[in-house]
Amino acid sequence: MSKIKGLHHVTAIATSAKRNLDFYTQVLGLRLVKKTVNFDDPETYHLYFGNEGGEPGTILTFFPWDDVDPGRRGASQATEVAFRVPKGSLEWWLQRLDERQVIYNKPAHRFDERYLVFLDPDGLKLELVEVDEERAAPFAGSEVPGEYAIRGFFGVTLTVNDAADSATLLTGVFGYEKIAQHVNRHRYASTDAVVGNIIDLVELPHEEEGVIAGGSVHHVAFRTESVESQAAIRQQLRDLGYQPTPQIDRDYFMAIYFREPQGILFEIATDPPGFTVDEPIEELGTHLKLPEQYEDDREEIEKSLQVL
Ligand code: ZN
């Protein structure tokens, strides 16, 4: 059976591209791994932030739409995105977030971990979770010292009215295992993942559906190793009555999209070819990369994009 290997990337919606870039690279110390456009809306950037190598499981991406309304957290949404940080680093981060006037809560404990919740400039809810093992290399070019730096994703929280069918998808086709529960928070883990292995399902039966707009997660992408394993997963999904898209070429990975039982948009993305397919690793994120179909319109597209 073709298992999912945790998160590949998470894509969210921002307003100002410049403010988004500054926050994720300067405040959080992530690397701008790829600067491209939304393949379905080329007048909008698609910014990818990640670790040194731009590895799957470390990549948070944004569509900055400058005129989008603020979203609202609620049911049928990925409501929180959590990063791994080394044990003992939250005190440094508290000071960092204070200095940069970021809105945050004091550290708390959940299951076995100590974590810190804060908001990005558009209100996207983020978490830093202290972990023992540092499994993904940080971005060496960041001003955040390596001993405190973000090491890829911890996981995401999905808020749903009813967790049962979403859980069946995770433990079935995706091959996740339930590892913990506290009241209405059900924790699932991918046994095959290096980072980004956690999905928390938070069940709130009476929660109103959220609005996906500025500061919201647009979709959650999971990893698979190859085009062949992706095709096999696609077939399994179809057999269960899901309606995945055909395999779509996103230049850096192949993608299929479908809605999970509570309506959250999921993607399954292949590891190959990866972000070094069109830029060497030293130059990741330094050029505006356009998919071939838009290359002839480069001049016009560059003019229509927000100023970084
Ligand atoms: Zn995606």
Side-chain angles (χ1 to χ4, degrees):
M1 212 173 92
S2 306
K3 278 196 192 166
I4 296 286
K5 302 193 299 178
L7 297 173
H8 184 284
H9 63 272
V10 175
T11 294
I13 301 168
T15 49
S16 160
K18 168 92 174 99
R19 192 174 64 171
N20 181 255
L21 175 70
D22 290 350
F23 183 79
Y24 284 95
T25 58
Q26 291 170 22
V27 180
L28 296 192
L30 298 181
R31 181 176 195 181
L32 177 64
V33 166
K34 193 63 64 182
K35 183 167 58 173
T36 182
V37 295
N38 182 331
F39 286 17
D40 302 318
D41 172 18
E43 295 185 354
T44 302
Y45 272 120
H46 194 178
L47 304 177
Y48 290 71
F49 303 101
N51 75 337
E52 179 82 20
E55 287 153 356
T58 74
I59 307 287
L60 180 59
T61 94
F62 287 89
F63 301 133
W65 279 305
D66 52 5
D67 56 355
V68 76
D69 289 332
R72 195 185 68 237
R73 269 187 293 282
S76 298
Q77 262 190 12
T79 45
E80 287 117 53
V81 179
F83 295 103
R84 300 166 65 92
V85 291
K87 237 186 191 135
S89 62
L90 288 188
E91 274 58 40
W92 184 88
W93 279 105
L94 282 173
Q95 201 182 334
R96 175 90 172 167
L97 298 180
D98 239 355
E99 282 165 13
R100 305 299 174 113
Q101 287 150 355
V102 176
I103 296 169
Y104 64 87
N105 285 342
K106 283 190 181 147
H109 281 88
R110 179 191 292 147
F111 299 118
D112 294 332
E113 288 90 25
R114 188 161 171 260
Y115 72 106
L116 165 63
V117 181
F118 61 105
L119 299 178
D120 93 347
D122 287 296
L124 180 65
K125 204 168 173 187
L126 302 169
E127 296 175 352
L128 297 176
V129 182
E130 287 188 344
V131 293
D132 280 325
E133 290 175 64
E134 295 154 18
R135 298 182 193 158
F139 173 36
S142 150
E143 58 179 82
V144 174
E147 59 195 296
Y148 309 123
I150 287 173
R151 311 298 184 101
F153 286 127
F154 180 81
V156 297
T157 296
L158 309 178
T159 297
V160 292
N161 289 144
D162 180 345
D165 292 346
S166 303
T168 301
L169 175 66
L170 291 177
T171 55
V173 179
F174 281 30
Y176 279 54
E177 285 174 13
K178 184 165 185 179
I179 58 165
Q181 181 178 349
H182 180 65
V183 196
N184 64 339
R185 181 176 288 267
H186 308 249
R187 175 157 290 185
Y188 294 84
S190 161
T191 49
D192 283 10
V194 181
V195 291
N197 58 318
I198 299 294
I199 296 289
D200 280 355
L201 288 177
V202 169
E203 188 175 56
L204 292 170
H206 307 294
E207 180 81 350
E208 207 180 321
E209 204 162 288
V211 176
I212 294 178
S216 313
V217 172
H218 184 270
H219 64 267
V220 178
F222 295 86
R223 284 178 79 173
T224 190
E225 61 193 10
S226 66
V227 176
E228 292 75 27
S229 62
Q230 185 183 54
I233 292 166
R234 181 172 182 274
Q235 189 56 50
Q236 289 177 48
L237 290 167
R238 283 171 60 97
D239 292 345
L240 290 168
Y242 290 99
Q243 296 180 311
T245 63
Q247 291 172 290
I248 301 170
D249 187 352
R250 294 306 194 189
D251 285 8
Y252 310 107
F253 44 85
M254 294 290 286
I256 62 170
Y257 303 86
F258 69 102
R259 293 206 180 264
E260 62 82 65
Q262 291 290 299
I264 301 169
L265 186 59
F266 275 8
E267 174 183 347
I268 294 171
T270 57
D271 282 0
F275 296 102
T276 53
V277 71
D278 59 0
E279 280 174 313
I281 195 158
E282 315 78 61
E283 293 175 21
L284 283 178
T286 57
H287 314 94
L288 175 65
K289 306 306 289 188
L290 297 178
E292 210 182 297
Q293 66 267 33
Y294 298 131
E295 204 48 71
D296 287 345
D297 307 319
R298 176 175 280 272
E299 210 174 314
E300 229 167 283
I301 287 174
E302 284 183 1
K303 267 189 242 158
S304 66
L305 289 167
Q306 290 189 49
V307 177
L308 284 179

